[in-house]
């Protein structure tokens, strides 16, 4: 009885065998020149080919699970052996198949200790389960693309296996003991932490409670809450209390942009300083942004931070976890310099052991770069996923599962950079020949655009050959100390990405063939039309998912993509007085493309009346640079003598230029400031210009995405699916940008401001229904006189 009680009190750790052995035996340097690309599809084909040749006694793909107690913990190990040979009904040999570009005849255990550890761990599990005294293990190495096979065998006793595996258990125990102690401190600090401010904001406690209940129920929640409620803090507090009550092990906070990262870091800092929270968090920052080298080359020959990375990482992280709690950009760079470690890879390693992971959507949803520790670990169901600015998620995931970069010209350019004798050259030529045939076919058919439901199998096989031969060439260059062209390397990884996308290809995917304008080139694109299943699949591997944003309108649209009928809903009113925001629609003016030349002066004059009504700072949002510049030129011509400062967004602005643009609004100035900007850009959302920094916005148009073949393909898909094609492809995504731009005006309870929407479509009932309930109106103005009167009355009440 006591033994059973002791067992129940032990911590249970669920690990894949691969994760179990790699943590202990991973060694050497970071080297993206070989071995890092995904070879799932090719590996599966090779595995099946070899497994079929092994004979009737060979059982392929055998799932193994085994639970054992080791000192203070219970380990659940799971995995899938590539093959087990049975003799007289009992297992006698465990086989593990590995593909490599290296010369298989020279491979030893020192090269791949984790491979030998993996097959021995499988053997230990099988011996334990079947009470065997000994067993034979075999590593089958397959050399790509030559097809050379080498099998390394050894017979090993169960006693020897136990001794070998126990060494790995001891290493894991050291880390799990540390993690358990840190979690105890974390949970105790959460239970004792007071709310960091004097009072909860209106609706904030409701958010925290809903988040806690949803996580407790292992559900999905969609939370729409206007600016000012304090969504970030409310969501975070609810999730933290769920952690403290063991409804999850860690939190992943997914952000759409840098401003979201700053918000959650500030919230955590506030709770640490004001409420005594003890928690470890890491912010994942893009490799290009945090790299310590001027010229980023991730290999030991060019980067000291990559050299022997895996030999140094574990002792460094063990020290860091005991000494630090926050791993933001500044701390990561300091630690990287101290221990001579790549800061990006250090952040990924820390993510395994931190309580809160902050990072872009990519780290969860991208099929190529998503975190393996979340997506492939059977213990993954204990992660809580918080998705900030969730109105971005549908479009972002759709882009992650799409690719529009294949062109004949691209392949020709890469082929010119490699030697003719190389197998890579031949593989490139075969793809070029295929694309040329497709180009000629479209030309003969007198069309420039063709769409297929399936990805062409012939093209897929040719691309796979490019990836295989490319890997061999890159490996040979690296082993010979030769430098490979960066464009060739980037191209190789892009082909790998395309092959991964092919593996995710489903009924919602399409392949397009498009001729260039001069018909000399052809582009092939993969298009994910409906990302709902990809989003839902990620939700299934988490304890719970919380989607939140200020603008999830219409809710029926977002619920359809984020989880449908399975979701709970919190839809809150603004905490601020609705009378503080005046929303007007100038719906007598058409801003549609066909009418812009006839109405641009009318738009310009309406904007002049808008800003002349009251001194202050204003932002004007436009659907395109061409349209913005047309009205900008007319505007400055007509207000030359007026007391305005005017700034205009430029294409491809640097981070410093964007910051300088925004800083104009934060300055104390005597003159009104007018900024021209693009709807949906960096200035259309995620910026905080409170008080007098911004008193009004004007939005020209309804935010529709560009009408093109890709968006029309999207429209046609949803029209057949649910008769909502135009809404899903154009109307709803566009109006989301409008609401975000409107949300720039009121940022605090004392703010007052105006939003002017210019387009005749705003008078339509379908648009009227989209405005959230916390907005008064909108009120219609049908001429300049009405506009001036409405504005005068509003500002006189200030």
């Amino acid at each position: 009885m006591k033994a059973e009680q002791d067992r129940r009190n032990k911590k249970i750790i669920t690990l894949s065998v691969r994760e179990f052995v790699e943590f202990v035996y991973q060694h050497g340097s970071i080297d993206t020149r070989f071995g890092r690309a995904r070879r799932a599809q090719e590996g599966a084909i090779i595995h099946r080919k070899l497994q079929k040749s092994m004979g009737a006694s060979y059982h392929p793909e055998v799932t193994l699970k085994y639970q054992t107690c080791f000192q203070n913990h219970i380990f659940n190990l799971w995995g899938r052996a590539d093959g087990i040979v049975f003799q007289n009904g009992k297992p006698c040999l465990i086989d593990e198949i590995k593909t490599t570009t290296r010369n298989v005849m020279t491979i030893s255990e020192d090269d791949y200790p984790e491979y030998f550890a993996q097959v021995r761990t499988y053997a230990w599990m099988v011996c334990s389960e079947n009470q065997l005294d000994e067993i034979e293990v075999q590593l089958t190495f397959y050399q790509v693309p030559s097809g050379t096979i080498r099998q390394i065998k050894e017979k090993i006793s169960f006693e020897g296996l136990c001794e070998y595996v126990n060494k790995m258990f001891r290493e894991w125990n050291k880390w799990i003991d540390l993690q358990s102690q840190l979690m105890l401190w974390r949970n105790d600090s959460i239970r004792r932490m007071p709310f960091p401010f004097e009072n909860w904001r209106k609706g904030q406690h409701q958010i925290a409670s809903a988040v806690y209940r949803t996580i407790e129920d292992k559900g999905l929640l969609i939370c729409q809450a206007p600016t000012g409620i304090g969504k970030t803090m409310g969501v975070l507090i609810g999730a933290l209390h769920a952690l403290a009550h063991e409804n999850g092990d860690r939190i992943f906070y997914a952000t759409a942009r840098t401003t979201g990262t700053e918000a959650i870091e500030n919230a955590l800092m506030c709770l640490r300083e004001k409420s005594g929270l003890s928690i470890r968090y890491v912010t994942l920052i893009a490799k290009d942004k945090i790299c310590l080298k001027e010229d980023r080359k991730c290999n030991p020959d060019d980067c000291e931070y990559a050299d022997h990375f895996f030999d140094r990482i574990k002792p460094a992280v063990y020290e860091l976890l005991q000494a630090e709690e926050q791993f933001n950009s500044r701390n990561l760079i300091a630690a990287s310099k101290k221990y001579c470690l790549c800061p990006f890879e250090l952040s990924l390693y820390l993510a395994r052991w931190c309580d809160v992971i902050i990072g872009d959507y990519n780290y969860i949803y991208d099929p190529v770069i998503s975190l393996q520790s979340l997506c492939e670990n059977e213990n993954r169901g204990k992660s809580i996923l918080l998705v900030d600015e969730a109105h971005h998620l549908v479009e972002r995931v759709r882009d992650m599962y799409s690719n529009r970069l294949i062109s004949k010209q691209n392949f020709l350019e890469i082929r010119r950079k490699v030697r003719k004798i190389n197998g890579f050259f031949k593989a490139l030529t075969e793809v070029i020949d295929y694309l040329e045939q497709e180009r000629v076919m479209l030309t003969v058919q007198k069309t420039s655009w063709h769409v297929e439901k399936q990805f062409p199998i012939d093209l897929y096989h040719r691309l796979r050959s490019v990836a295989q031969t490319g890997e061999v060439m890159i490996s040979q260059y690296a082993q010979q100390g030769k430098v490979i062209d960066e464009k060739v390397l980037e191209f190789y990884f892009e082909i790998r990405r395309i092959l991964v996308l092919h593996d995710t290809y489903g009924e919602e995917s399409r392949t397009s063939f498009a001729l260039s304008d001069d018909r000399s080139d052809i582009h092939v694109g993969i298009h994910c039309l409906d990302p709902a299943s990809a989003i839902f699949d990620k939700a299934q591997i988490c304890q719970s998912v919380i989607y939140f944003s200020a603008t999830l309108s219409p809710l029926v649209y977002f619920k359809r993509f984020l989880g449908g009928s399975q979701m709970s809903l919190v839809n809150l009113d603004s905490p601020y007085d609705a009378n503080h925001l005046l929303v007007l629609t100038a719906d007598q003016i058409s801003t549609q493309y066909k009418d812009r030349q006839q109405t641009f002066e009318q738009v310009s004059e309406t904007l002049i009346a808008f800003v002349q009504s009251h001194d202050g700072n204003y932002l004007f949002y436009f659907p395109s640079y061409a349209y913005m510049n047309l009205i900008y030129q007319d505007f400055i011509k007509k207000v030359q003598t007026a007391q305005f400062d005017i700034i205009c967004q430029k294409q491809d602005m640097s981070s410093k230029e964007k910051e300088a643009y925004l800083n104009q609004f934060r300055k104390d100035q005597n003159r009104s400031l007018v900024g021209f900007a693009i709807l949906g850009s960096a200035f259309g959302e995620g910026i905080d210009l409170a008080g007098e920094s911004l008193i009004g916005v004007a939005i020209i148009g309804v935010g529709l995405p560009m009408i093109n073949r890709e968006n029309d393909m999207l429209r046609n898909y949803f029209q057949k699916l649910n008769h909502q094609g135009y809404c899903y492809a154009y109307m709803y995504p566009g109006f989301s940008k409008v609401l975000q731009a409107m949300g720039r005006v009121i940022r605090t309870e004392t703010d007052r401001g105006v939003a002017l929407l210019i387009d005749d479509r705003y008078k339509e009932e379908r648009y009227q229904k989209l405005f959230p309930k916390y907005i008064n109106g909108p009120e219609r103005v049908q001429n300049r006189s009405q506009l001036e009167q409405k504005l005068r009355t509003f500002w006189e009440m200030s």
Side-chain angles (χ1 to χ4, degrees):
M1 186 71 180
K2 185 178 184 299
E4 180 61 29
Q5 183 66 40
D6 289 343
R7 185 179 179 88
R8 284 199 296 266
N9 291 334
K10 292 178 184 291
K11 182 178 176 66
I12 299 176
I13 299 96
T14 301
L15 296 166
S16 70
V17 170
R18 186 178 68 176
E19 186 179 8
F20 177 67
V21 302
E22 282 186 352
F23 178 74
V24 177
Y25 283 102
Q26 195 171 26
H27 68 293
S29 306
I30 297 169
D31 196 338
T32 58
R33 294 173 300 189
F34 45 165
R36 297 299 296 274
R38 294 189 178 189
R39 294 191 292 263
Q41 189 70 18
E42 297 95 295
I45 293 171
I46 292 168
H47 277 48
R48 288 194 293 269
K49 176 182 175 183
L50 292 176
Q51 287 163 342
K52 286 181 179 178
S53 68
M54 296 291 190
S57 62
Y58 187 97
H59 292 224
E61 305 298 329
V62 180
T63 298
L64 299 173
K65 292 185 178 182
Y66 191 72
Q67 184 181 93
T68 186
C69 289
F70 188 86
Q71 295 179 2
N72 303 323
H73 309 301
I74 297 173
F75 287 86
N76 283 330
L77 295 184
W78 64 276
R80 190 165 56 200
D82 290 330
I84 298 181
V85 176
F86 284 80
Q87 194 173 62
N88 300 322
K90 289 189 175 182
C92 62
L93 181 143
I94 312 297
D95 183 38
E96 189 66 20
I97 301 169
K98 301 295 181 183
T99 60
T100 180
T101 58
R102 298 182 64 169
N103 181 351
V104 296
M105 306 313 292
T106 64
I107 286 176
S108 69
E109 184 169 348
D110 290 339
D111 297 314
Y112 299 112
E114 66 273 26
Y115 292 174
F116 287 82
Q118 185 176 359
V119 72
R120 287 169 186 160
T121 303
Y122 287 147
W124 170 78
M125 294 167 71
V126 170
C127 285
S128 300
E129 190 72 37
N130 293 274
Q131 299 180 331
L132 301 177
D133 293 330
E134 65 176 10
I135 198 167
E136 196 168 18
V137 297
Q138 172 177 285
L139 271 168
T140 300
F141 287 98
Y142 181 98
Q143 187 174 337
V144 178
S146 69
T148 304
I149 297 171
R150 181 187 176 201
Q151 292 178 325
I152 301 176
K153 291 184 179 182
E154 68 171 349
K155 184 166 281 190
I156 188 166
S157 68
F158 179 58
E159 183 180 355
L161 288 170
C162 288
E163 183 179 346
Y164 181 83
V165 172
N166 283 346
K167 289 180 182 178
M168 291 187 280
F169 279 131
R170 281 192 287 273
E171 179 67 11
W172 270 100
N173 253 26
K174 168 187 168 183
W175 284 79
I176 294 166
D177 285 342
L178 173 62
Q179 185 183 46
S180 298
Q181 183 59 60
L182 296 177
M183 287 177 67
L184 284 174
W185 292 339
R186 177 199 77 188
N187 293 344
D188 184 57
S189 74
I190 293 171
R191 294 187 188 107
R192 291 185 292 104
M193 88 179 169
F195 187 67
F197 306 110
E198 186 175 347
N199 295 302
W200 292 83
R201 294 182 185 179
K202 180 183 176 182
Q204 195 174 30
H205 192 276
Q206 184 179 345
I207 291 174
S209 298
V211 167
Y212 179 86
R213 289 194 304 271
T214 301
I215 297 171
E216 186 179 42
D217 295 338
K218 300 183 179 180
L220 306 177
L221 175 69
I222 187 167
C223 175
Q224 179 173 247
T227 298
I229 284 180
K231 290 186 295 295
T232 300
M233 185 62 80
V235 168
L236 178 59
I237 286 176
L240 288 174
H241 278 285
L243 282 187
H245 288 84
E246 300 183 0
N247 290 313
D249 283 342
R250 61 178 176 172
I251 296 168
F252 193 103
Y253 191 99
T255 65
R257 56 182 72 218
T258 305
T259 50
T261 298
E262 293 170 354
I264 182 61
E265 285 185 342
N266 290 339
L268 285 165
M269 179 65 71
C270 176
L271 289 172
R272 290 178 68 236
E273 293 179 349
K274 293 186 177 183
S275 304
L277 175 66
S278 175
I279 199 163
R280 279 147 191 81
Y281 73 87
V282 60
T283 302
L284 305 180
I285 301 160
K287 188 179 291 187
D288 286 334
K289 291 184 178 180
I290 202 171
C291 182
L292 298 174
K293 303 289 286 187
E294 198 169 308
D295 186 16
R296 180 171 69 80
K297 292 182 179 179
C298 302
N299 66 76
D301 296 333
D302 295 297
C303 179
E304 66 272 26
Y305 301 103
D307 191 27
H308 291 287
F309 174 87
F310 295 107
D311 301 324
R312 293 194 295 262
I313 184 64
K314 282 201 296 184
V317 168
Y318 196 81
E319 286 184 17
L320 285 168
L321 289 172
Q322 296 176 85
E324 301 283 348
E325 287 193 348
Q326 56 178 342
F327 300 102
N328 53 21
S329 175
R330 179 174 55 82
N331 290 358
L332 284 169
I333 289 173
S336 297
K337 290 178 178 178
K338 177 181 178 180
Y339 296 101
C340 196
L341 295 167
C342 167
F344 176 73
E345 295 291 342
L346 171 60
S347 71
L348 295 182
Y349 209 94
L350 281 163
R352 303 182 186 186
W353 305 99
C354 282
D355 306 298
V356 179
I357 308 163
I358 304 165
D360 186 85
Y361 293 165
N362 289 335
Y363 295 106
I364 297 295
Y365 294 99
D366 192 285
V368 175
I369 68 169
S370 57
L371 291 178
Q372 290 186 5
S373 60
L374 178 75
C375 300
E376 296 181 6
N377 183 350
E378 235 184 38
N379 201 35
R380 59 201 178 186
K382 299 293 283 182
S383 295
I384 298 166
L385 176 57
L386 310 179
V387 182
D388 190 12
E389 296 185 300
H391 60 279
H392 283 299
L393 189 63
V394 175
E395 194 59 37
R396 284 285 305 277
V397 175
R398 180 179 285 131
D399 286 343
M400 291 174 199
Y401 283 80
S402 302
N403 186 294
R404 306 174 182 86
L405 297 179
I406 310 174
S407 74
K408 189 187 81 170
Q409 191 59 43
N410 191 206
F411 278 84
L412 286 168
E413 179 185 352
I414 297 301
R415 192 176 66 171
R416 286 192 287 269
K417 295 178 180 291
V418 299
R419 294 175 299 177
K420 288 187 177 180
I421 59 172
N422 199 300
F424 188 52
F425 185 97
K426 180 181 177 183
L428 290 169
T429 301
E430 290 179 353
V431 176
I432 291 167
D433 291 344
Y434 176 92
L435 294 176
E436 175 60 15
Q437 291 173 10
E438 293 294 320
R439 187 194 69 82
V440 171
M441 185 180 302
L442 289 181
T443 302
V444 170
Q445 294 174 351
K446 297 183 179 180
T447 185
S448 60
W449 172 257
H450 174 65
V451 176
E452 293 186 6
K453 288 187 175 182
Q454 302 297 324
F455 191 85
I457 189 66
D458 192 13
L459 176 58
Y460 165 72
H461 286 304
R462 296 183 191 214
L463 290 173
R464 193 159 64 87
S465 179
V466 169
Q468 289 175 333
T469 55
E471 183 174 357
V472 172
M473 179 189 70
I474 292 166
S475 295
Q476 289 173 348
Y477 270 59
Q479 291 165 12
Q480 295 166 11
K482 296 180 180 178
V483 177
I484 193 163
D485 190 287
E486 281 296 311
K487 286 191 175 180
V488 174
L489 200 58
E490 290 173 6
F491 173 85
Y492 163 77
F493 284 116
E494 192 56 45
I495 295 300
R496 284 287 180 193
R497 180 176 183 84
I498 292 167
L499 294 176
V500 172
L501 291 180
H502 173 271
D503 294 346
T504 68
Y505 204 96
E507 294 182 1
E508 71 284 351
S509 303
R510 298 290 185 273
T511 302
S512 67
F513 297 81
L515 294 184
S516 59
D517 292 339
D518 63 1
R519 295 182 170 266
S520 66
D521 197 9
I522 186 169
H523 299 258
V524 182
I526 295 175
H527 308 269
C528 171
L529 303 181
D530 187 354
S533 61
I535 294 172
F536 189 70
D537 286 347
K538 295 299 182 182
Q540 294 300 101
I541 65 175
C542 298
Q543 163 92 7
S544 182
V545 185
I546 313 297
Y547 304 99
F548 57 105
S549 170
T551 52
L552 293 170
S553 182
L555 279 168
V556 64
Y557 169 78
F558 286 101
K559 286 186 71 174
R560 188 258 177 215
F561 286 103
L562 303 181
S565 59
Q566 300 185 34
M567 307 192 75
S568 301
L569 172 65
V570 172
N571 188 16
L572 299 177
D573 288 331
S574 173
Y576 306 140
D577 188 338
N579 294 318
H580 284 195
L581 176 64
L582 174 65
V583 181
L584 302 173
T585 57
D587 56 22
Q588 80 284 9
I589 304 173
S590 171
T591 71
Q592 295 185 57
Y593 185 82
K594 62 183 178 64
D595 298 322
R596 288 176 184 174
Q597 287 297 325
Q598 288 73 44
T599 63
F600 78 89
E601 289 186 292
Q602 192 178 359
V603 172
S604 180
E605 290 164 2
T606 301
L607 293 173
I608 292 171
F610 181 55
V611 299
Q612 284 179 338
S613 67
H614 193 77
D615 292 341
N617 296 341
Y618 296 85
L619 268 169
F620 299 162
Y621 293 105
F622 296 84
S624 70
Y625 282 97
Y627 191 29
M628 178 181 71
N629 290 329
L630 175 67
I631 294 177
Y632 172 75
Q633 294 299 328
D634 190 64
F635 186 91
I636 60 175
K637 181 175 66 176
K638 291 176 177 175
V639 296
Q640 286 178 351
T641 59
Q643 298 300 304
F644 294 139
D645 288 326
I646 304 171
I647 57 177
C648 190
Q649 181 178 349
K650 298 177 182 177
Q651 286 181 286
D652 301 320
M653 293 174 76
S654 67
S655 297
K656 288 184 178 180
E657 288 173 324
K658 291 176 182 177
E659 188 61 28
Y661 182 100
L662 287 176
N663 283 339
Q664 294 294 312
F665 290 88
R666 299 181 178 119
K667 291 180 179 178
D668 292 330
Q669 49 200 17
N670 298 321
R671 293 156 58 91
S672 291
L673 173 68
V674 176
F676 283 69
I678 298 299
L679 191 66
S681 70
F683 304 127
E685 59 178 289
I687 60 172
D688 200 1
L689 299 172
E692 296 300 313
S693 297
L694 184 69
I695 67 165
V697 299
I699 301 161
I700 295 83
V702 292
L704 295 184
M706 183 181 295
I707 297 175
N708 56 31
R709 293 180 296 202
E710 287 82 0
N711 285 330
D712 280 347
M713 181 168 54
L714 193 64
R715 181 193 62 190
N716 295 337
Y717 172 84
F718 281 106
Q719 190 61 29
K720 290 180 180 178
L721 189 69
N722 60 13
H723 306 291
Q724 294 285 310
Y726 179 78
C727 293
Y728 275 43
Y730 290 104
M731 185 176 172
Y732 295 161
F735 196 72
S736 180
K737 297 176 187 176
V738 172
L739 291 178
Q740 279 293 319
M742 288 173 57
R744 300 313 96 205
V745 182
I746 304 296
R747 310 299 295 177
T748 72
E749 60 186 10
T750 59
D751 286 0
R752 289 178 61 86
V754 293
L756 174 64
L757 313 181
I758 303 176
D759 194 283
D760 58 356
R761 285 165 286 193
Y762 285 117
K763 64 187 174 187
E764 297 174 10
E765 184 180 2
R766 58 178 179 168
Y767 273 99
Q768 292 285 318
K769 289 181 177 179
L770 295 181
F771 285 96
K773 59 183 180 179
Y774 59 81
I775 289 178
N776 270 350
E779 301 180 32
R780 297 177 64 187
V781 290
Q782 295 183 295
N783 53 53
R784 181 166 182 164
S785 175
Q786 287 184 7
L787 172 63
E788 291 172 338
Q789 177 59 45
K790 293 278 188 184
L791 293 169
R792 185 164 49 249
T793 302
F794 176 79
W795 290 119
E796 285 175 353
M797 294 172 60
S798 299

